Amino acid sequence: MRRLAALAAALLLPTQAMAQTPCLTTGEAEAITLVALPDVILETGRVCTALPAGSIVRQTSGAFLAKYQAEADRAWPAAQGAIAKLSDPRVSMLLLQSDYARPLITAILAPQIVGRIQPSDCPTIDRIVTLLAPLPPRNVAGVVVAGLQHLKAEKARGKAVVADLPDLPVCAAGRR
């Protein structure tokens, strides 16, 4: 499984030969976020075991996760197109049409996102998720992408706090 995940990660990265770095529209970034959110929430619950069992991020089933999973299912076609845009076109279409593509992609993304969480972050994360829970998942994805865009802008301005933030390939306003 690790070899397959490493191969998929390598195949999903843009090639050096591309003349212009591809970028995602805000909607495409939100679609990828929606697809990843159910697994990110579940992974967060696995990291944040010190939180009470009834904590929203510790839930492994129920209405909260079901609404995110339903929205992830609806967003998958748009996310496939967005991932294909960032990937090597010779391989991405073959991989993305597989039934294994989505679980493989979320298995790569979720640990990368959640891997930065420290146990001391868990109460704050739980509070944020609890406050966002009444919103539709699409709105939450929009908040996440807007937050990442803001952090990317801060990184571009040289803010040391976000220096290790991975680049979010969302198009600048003129390239959307």
Side-chain angles (χ1 to χ4, degrees):
M1 180 65 178
R2 281 193 170 146
R3 282 188 196 175
L4 184 58
L7 174 63
L11 297 175
L12 291 172
L13 295 174
T15 63
Q16 296 284 341
M18 293 183 168
Q20 184 178 15
T21 303
C23 61
L24 301 176
T25 66
T26 300
E28 290 169 333
E30 289 172 5
I32 292 172
T33 301
L34 280 167
V35 168
L37 275 173
D39 287 311
V40 168
I41 294 165
L42 287 169
E43 275 298 308
T44 301
R46 285 191 264 284
V47 170
C48 294
T49 56
L51 291 173
S55 164
I56 197 160
V57 296
R58 296 270 322 271
Q59 294 178 14
T60 58
S61 63
F64 174 72
L65 280 172
K67 78 177 181 177
Y68 277 89
Q69 191 59 55
E71 202 59 46
D73 293 344
R74 283 190 283 279
W76 176 236
Q80 281 177 297
I83 293 165
K85 184 192 260 191
L86 297 175
S87 305
D88 183 331
R90 298 167 294 176
V91 181
S92 68
M93 291 315 294
L94 293 173
L95 177 65
L96 289 173
Q97 299 309 316
S98 164
D99 290 340
Y100 300 108
R102 184 170 160 190
L104 184 60
I105 290 166
T106 58
I108 292 168
L109 289 176
Q112 286 182 342
I113 295 165
V114 178
R116 296 172 175 257
I117 295 174
Q118 299 298 314
S120 61
D121 300 329
C122 293
T124 301
I125 291 168
D126 188 55
R127 172 133 171 83
I128 291 168
V129 173
T130 300
L131 291 169
L132 294 173
L135 293 176
R138 286 200 174 275
N139 290 55
V140 173
V143 168
V144 169
V145 170
L148 290 173
Q149 287 172 308
H150 172 73
L151 292 173
K152 181 179 180 179
E154 290 294 300
K155 179 180 177 180
R157 285 193 276 279
K159 300 284 181 162
V161 173
V162 292
D164 68 338
L165 180 76
D167 286 329
L168 179 67
V170 176
C171 304
R175 289 184 57 197
R176 292 181 187 177

